[in-house]
Amino acid sequence: MLEDILPRLSADEVARLRAIYEPLTQSVRELIDATVRTETAADTVASVRAEIDAATARLRANQLEGSFGVRFGAQGSEMPWGNAVIGVRNPIAPPVDLIRAEDGSVSADFHLGAAYEGPPGHVHGGVSAMILDHVLGEGASLPGRPRLTGTLTTRYRRMTRLGALHTEARIVRTEGIKTYAVGHIADAEGITVEAEGVFITPRWARD
């Protein structure tokens, strides 16, 4: 397991790293949005591109091989900072900051801008499915007991407008190594996409 390979980081070290890299991630998110929507002149675009290329070269001077993976805090808390939905260091993550309720369900308010467009002015269906895959997976899992996607079925009630959105998920039932969960994405007018899935407790996490 990764927990046995990667060293655990103290709470202070996690906070220090977050303070360094989270603002960078947010700046790149803004850059992505600006890149999609800019209508500046060609000479400005060329100048900005040169600045971006130079900045990229500076960041690549010292980087990880491969993906970020998952690191762990001192109390065993996971740090999936490269994750495409919630990653602190992943600028394509919206991010979706989930809150777990006392009943085990999870929910989040989040925002999807121009970078997530499919139909004009609306969220790409694949983005909705990716978010629901993660949200239902979190809703189906318990602390220290991850459950991985077996199947996921999505129903698109109507198009999802870009902008402020809400998502939530909960467990319906558990049968052996299988956990069944449901969830949805909603905008101000109600639910736009529903999902149900079966999530499997991986062999290494079983009692």
Side-chain angles (χ1 to χ4, degrees):
M1 292 175 55
L2 286 173
E3 189 172 359
D4 298 324
I5 299 171
L6 298 173
R8 289 175 180 245
L9 304 175
S10 69
D12 287 345
E13 181 66 4
V14 171
R16 185 187 73 82
L17 292 172
R18 189 167 193 138
I20 293 171
Y21 294 111
E22 192 167 30
L24 171 63
T25 304
Q26 184 56 37
S27 292
V28 178
R29 285 192 186 108
E30 293 293 331
L31 176 62
I32 291 170
D33 184 78
T35 299
V36 172
R37 298 193 290 141
T38 188
E39 293 188 338
T40 55
D43 58 343
T44 300
V45 172
S47 175
V48 170
R49 179 185 171 190
E51 293 173 13
I52 293 170
D53 288 347
T56 300
R58 292 175 63 190
L59 292 175
R60 288 200 184 282
N62 184 8
Q63 67 176 18
L64 298 169
E65 293 184 7
S67 65
F68 185 84
V70 179
R71 302 181 186 187
F72 295 85
Q75 304 302 316
S77 57
E78 291 186 358
M79 297 167 55
W81 286 5
N83 185 280
V85 176
I86 63 172
V88 169
R89 292 184 58 173
N90 191 337
I92 69 168
V96 178
D97 295 321
L98 290 166
I99 298 173
R100 187 175 296 275
E102 291 185 2
D103 64 1
S105 63
V106 296
S107 64
D109 295 309
F110 64 105
H111 184 276
L112 293 180
Y116 303 96
E117 186 175 53
H122 295 81
V123 179
H124 192 293
V127 172
S128 296
M130 177 182 70
I131 290 172
L132 285 169
D133 177 55
H134 183 90
V135 173
L136 267 68
E138 287 292 322
S141 299
L142 299 172
R145 293 183 63 86
R147 291 170 175 140
L148 307 180
T149 309
T151 62
L152 183 75
T153 303
T154 55
R155 300 182 190 86
Y156 296 87
R157 289 189 174 187
R158 56 185 172 84
M159 291 192 295
T160 304
R161 286 192 177 276
L162 294 171
L165 299 168
H166 176 80
T167 186
E168 57 187 66
R170 61 181 175 83
I171 292 174
V172 176
R173 68 184 187 279
T174 299
E175 298 175 356
I177 64 171
K178 296 181 179 180
T179 297
Y180 297 79
V182 297
H184 65 259
I185 293 173
D187 60 16
E189 299 176 3
I191 295 174
T192 61
V193 189
E194 295 177 312
E196 58 185 24
V198 181
F199 296 84
I200 311 299
T201 303
R203 190 177 303 277
W204 53 264
R206 299 172 194 171
D207 292 334

